[in-house]
Amino acid sequence: MGDEESKKWVLMVTAQAPTNMSVIKYWGKRDETLILPINDSISVTFDLQHLSTITTVSVSPTFLHDRLWLNGKEFSLSGDKYQRCLKEIRSCAGDVEDEKKGIKITKKDWENLHLHIASYNNFPTAAGLASSASGFACLVFALAKLMNLKEDNGKLSAIARQGSGSACRSLYGGFVKWFMGKNDDGSDSFAVQLADEKHWDDLLIVIPVVSSRQKETSSTRGMRESVETSTLIQYRAKEVVPKRIVEMEEAIKNRDFQSFARLTCAESNQFHAVCLDTSPPLFYMNDTSHRIITCVENWNHSEGSPQVAYTCDAGPNVVLFAQNRKVAALLLQRLFFHFPPHPDTDLKSYVLGDTSILQDVGIQDMKDVEALSPPPETKDDIAQKYKGDVSYFICTRPGKGPVLLSDEGQALLNPETGLP
Amino acid sequence: MGDEESKKWVLMVTAQAPTNMSVIKYWGKRDETLILPINDSISVTFDLQHLSTITTVSVSPTFLHDRLWLNGKEFSLSGDKYQRCLKEIRSCAGDVEDEKKGIKITKKDWENLHLHIASYNNFPTAAGLASSASGFACLVFALAKLMNLKEDNGKLSAIARQGSGSACRSLYGGFVKWFMGKNDDGSDSFAVQLADEKHWDDLLIVIPVVSSRQKETSSTRGMRESVETSTLIQYRAKEVVPKRIVEMEEAIKNRDFQSFARLTCAESNQFHAVCLDTSPPLFYMNDTSHRIITCVENWNHSEGSPQVAYTCDAGPNVVLFAQNRKVAALLLQRLFFHFPPHPDTDLKSYVLGDTSILQDVGIQDMKDVEALSPPPETKDDIAQKYKGDVSYFICTRPGKGPVLLSDEGQALLNPETGLP
């Protein structure tokens, strides 16, 4: 840096990274510090437009400390997970030169330079949709660009993994596999892309966001308690998951929705089974989650083959995969019937994301929602309505991996001051 | 019978049998017809006064068919389970002679004589508290007396087992073990008493009966689906349960409440885990069940050792075992606080069974329920009230096995006509 040290430059990069949803579940670590899992997992990456994190990272000789703002509020970076990611990234940093701005940073300068980081989720945090996955993926991806890392996405995924396990899968679009690895140092525990988002592009995703007053056990703590107390988790990790990984890779490769749905639902259910087998038991699903799943199971059963797959993580929300657009429309008709909004909710706050599907459902305003008839497979005793139990719906699809945002207007930090 | 055949006599016996609650769970059959389980189970028998079935069985040469009345309504006896029990019992029947009434029935006459059976549960069927266990136990016990069977309780339990698996455990009071057995004909699958009800007489039982609108999958169908689809159930049956059986027998023998509670809760949770691991998943617990369990877990945790054990079968009700009377009173204070009744409920319909405990709780009328303060271990965010989510409470204790009721006034059939 030398002569440039006196200059007041700020260098910055903005990136956007998607969140993802596992279809073969990650639950349980073999190493708490390095975040090494007890089994492989597979996920689907969500469209950046609807469920993603935008992060601006910046560096300047004027910064006195590493600082972090999440959704506009400052947070401490002193936590182990942040420290571990930052240390790993700094150790891989390369030389950076910007002649126009007169900036020259060498590999070893990064140890002494401080970072400002600002991050923003484009979906409500209350939705409980793994914002830590997109968050850490975006942080690592943006810093890798800023610091001119030469490492490939696999290595970046292994760094993101140390922030939040599932973050490693958000370094890729489409369908992603996270290898548990065998090495003690975690060097072989990283993610790879199985297929990109175009490989299976008729899949649609619907997420009924469930209202909940309950405070759930964090997944970090929950999975530690499961490993310590469940007498089923190791059998699941060693005997059940490896077979399902092979079958799921095959299902994705062949766009075989029946197998995909069977495995996805079985995995979700077994994950929650292990949660229940924990002491004290982890209740992540609530009555609304149960009702959504029962609605899907009944419909799948009445059709004779799976139309929709469901999966649910460490919270009450259920993520639904519809085989195609037609099925997604029929699914929404069912869900809108059973879970109408509170009065005075407008359509725009009831359905978020890709709302073009509403045309296929035949919904133009809230009156159309109220006028829906019960699904034909519904027996009288279960044609019940649970008003307000779903706060809103998010409609999305599989999407691509992290991208750089070159438009400075999208940056979350001021290019002069490096502050939000 | 010979000369007596023209006479219009009616011979009858009335018995009362308790229901029971498993603490090591029975879930899954290795033989559907003979009802042979995939693992041993252990249960606690409930006090006859509060949760039992009364059954009157009668025989008369004037009866044209076998007939059955349950809670006053006639039902068909043509189901496999009834037929199997009746056939087994008839094959063991002995000679009966009543000189006063001029009755003489020989062993082989029983094949041609018809039975009238009337049965009544002294607890609401809606409570979902395994009325089939007390029902079949009472039927078999009463018929064994009527037909002068020489078989011991073990053999009777094996007959009752063929009506409803858990019924075999209701042939004894106190603490009961059902051996899964190994033989294909089921001859070694019967129940034995581990300890009678006096062995551990400070245990109290509280059952919050949970309001539910959901229709649950029957346990017969549910356990079949679990055996067919769960990838965890066999591991549980073969690797987990056998160790817990040994530990539970030891805990009961030593009146070791800590071990009893730890095992009982772990078993309940693992049973529901296997239910979730079934396709389609079996949701027996609802939000209210979860809240009751969370309340108990929080309290146990705050005390540093288990005060109360919980267990839940194929329905939303949770059965709670309190270590002693003092603990039971503190438990009720907590439950009454979180689950107050709907307005205008009187204390008599809010608390059933042994209501003497209310004195210990300091409750004389509904105003005292309303005035309860939040439990000290409750954090602000969970000091919530769920009005009406528990319909009523049943307070009881471990009790004795089936008894004969010699008072004719308690018979459910008319001694002249053999009709209800």
Side-chain angles (χ1 to χ4, degrees), chain B residues 331-353:
Chain B
L331 169 65
L332 282 172
Q333 280 177 358
R334 285 163 169 80
L335 296 174
F336 290 170
F337 172 80
H338 288 297
F339 305 97
H342 282 303
D344 303 325
T345 308
D346 62 5
L347 195 54
K348 273 195 179 156
S349 53
Y350 183 53
V351 186
L352 313 181

Side-chain angles (χ1 to χ4, degrees), chain B residues 107-347:
Chain B
K107 232 173 132 53
K108 66 176 171 33
D109 291 332
W110 288 106
E111 297 295 325
N112 303 311
L113 283 167
H114 290 290
L115 300 163
H116 281 188
I117 301 162
S119 200
Y120 168 83
N121 296 325
N122 73 349
F123 57 97
T125 317
L129 289 160
S131 54
S132 64
S134 51
F136 274 101
C138 205
L139 176 68
V140 169
F141 183 83
L143 285 175
K145 298 295 171 189
L146 180 75
M147 298 185 178
N148 195 21
L149 266 69
K150 298 286 177 272
E151 276 68 18
D152 62 10
N153 260 7
K155 173 64 185 173
L156 295 188
S157 78
I159 298 175
R161 188 202 74 222
Q162 297 174 58
S164 167
S166 56
C168 74
R169 296 185 311 237
S170 275
L171 264 298
Y172 302 91
F175 302 83
V176 183
K177 176 177 177 180
W178 173 14
F179 291 101
M180 62 176 286
K182 286 179 179 169
N183 300 344
D184 285 341
D185 66 358
S187 54
D188 56 350
S189 184
F190 56 86
V192 298
Q193 187 178 58
L194 296 175
D196 70 18
E197 66 281 7
K198 290 179 213 100
H199 165 72
W200 197 351
D201 65 358
D202 43 359
L203 280 187
L204 287 186
I205 297 164
V206 171
I207 309 168
V209 176
V210 170
S211 321
S212 171
R213 292 184 298 178
Q214 309 292 124
K215 178 92 185 92
E216 288 116 25
T217 307
S218 78
S219 59
T220 300
R221 182 174 153 195
M223 71 175 79
R224 187 170 56 235
E225 292 178 352
S226 288
V227 169
E228 284 169 0
T229 64
S230 168
T231 56
L232 301 175
I233 193 172
Q234 294 298 340
Y235 178 80
R236 159 176 162 72
K238 289 180 184 128
E239 303 295 328
V240 182
V241 176
K243 286 177 202 137
R244 289 183 176 169
I245 286 276
V246 173
E247 289 171 34
M248 182 60 92
E249 288 193 54
E250 199 65 16
I252 290 169
K253 190 175 137 198
N254 301 324
R255 292 182 283 265
D256 168 1
F257 188 79
Q258 288 212 19
S259 301
F260 175 82
R262 180 178 53 76
L263 290 162
T264 297
C265 299
E267 269 297 287
S268 176
N269 291 329
Q270 187 163 92
F271 154 60
H272 290 281
V274 167
C275 289
L276 270 195
D277 190 50
T278 300
S279 173
L282 301 162
F283 303 124
Y284 287 125
M285 291 194 287
N286 65 18
D287 284 349
T288 308
S289 324
H290 291 173
R291 285 175 188 134
I292 293 167
I293 289 173
T294 300
C295 166
V296 169
E297 286 279 3
N298 287 344
W299 185 31
N300 283 345
H301 182 259
S302 77
E303 295 286 333
S305 71
Q307 307 297 301
V308 171
Y310 57 83
T311 189
C312 181
D313 268 1
N317 291 313
V318 185
V319 169
L320 302 166
F321 294 92
Q323 188 164 11
N324 54 48
R325 195 168 177 92
K326 194 181 150 200
V327 165
L330 292 168
L331 169 65
L332 282 172
Q333 280 177 358
R334 285 163 169 80
L335 296 174
F336 290 170
F337 172 80
H338 288 297
F339 305 97
H342 282 303
D344 303 325
T345 308
D346 62 5
L347 195 54

Side-chain angles (χ1 to χ4, degrees), chain A residues 213-215 229-232 235-236 240 244 266 269-274 276-281 283 285-291 293-294 297 310 381-382 384-386, chain B residues 213-215 229-232 235-236 240 244 266 269-274 276-281 283 285-291 293-294 297 310 381-382 384-386:
Chain A
R213 291 184 299 177
Q214 309 293 124
K215 178 93 187 92
T229 64
S230 167
T231 56
L232 301 175
Y235 178 80
R236 158 175 162 71
V240 182
R244 287 183 177 170
N269 291 328
Q270 188 165 90
F271 154 60
H272 289 281
V274 167
L276 269 196
D277 190 50
T278 299
S279 172
F283 302 125
M285 292 194 286
N286 64 17
D287 284 349
T288 308
S289 325
H290 291 173
R291 285 174 188 135
I293 289 174
T294 301
E297 286 279 3
Y310 57 82
D381 58 326
I382 54 166
Q384 282 175 343
K385 285 176 175 271
Y386 303 95
Chain B
R213 292 184 298 178
Q214 309 292 124
K215 178 92 185 92
T229 64
S230 168
T231 56
L232 301 175
Y235 178 80
R236 159 176 162 72
V240 182
R244 289 183 176 169
N269 291 329
Q270 187 163 92
F271 154 60
H272 290 281
V274 167
L276 270 195
D277 190 50
T278 300
S279 173
F283 303 124
M285 291 194 287
N286 65 18
D287 284 349
T288 308
S289 324
H290 291 173
R291 285 175 188 134
I293 289 173
T294 300
E297 286 279 3
Y310 57 83
D381 59 324
I382 53 165
Q384 283 175 343
K385 284 176 176 271
Y386 303 95

Side-chain angles (χ1 to χ4, degrees), chain A residues 205-258:
Chain A
I205 296 164
V206 172
I207 308 168
V209 176
V210 171
S211 321
S212 171
R213 291 184 299 177
Q214 309 293 124
K215 178 93 187 92
E216 286 116 26
T217 307
S218 78
S219 59
T220 300
R221 182 175 153 195
M223 70 175 79
R224 185 170 56 236
E225 292 178 352
S226 288
V227 169
E228 285 169 0
T229 64
S230 167
T231 56
L232 301 175
I233 193 172
Q234 295 297 339
Y235 178 80
R236 158 175 162 71
K238 288 178 185 129
E239 303 295 328
V240 182
V241 176
K243 287 177 200 137
R244 287 183 177 170
I245 286 277
V246 174
E247 289 172 33
M248 182 60 92
E249 287 193 54
E250 199 65 16
I252 290 169
K253 190 174 138 199
N254 301 324
R255 292 182 282 264
D256 168 1
F257 189 79
Q258 287 212 21

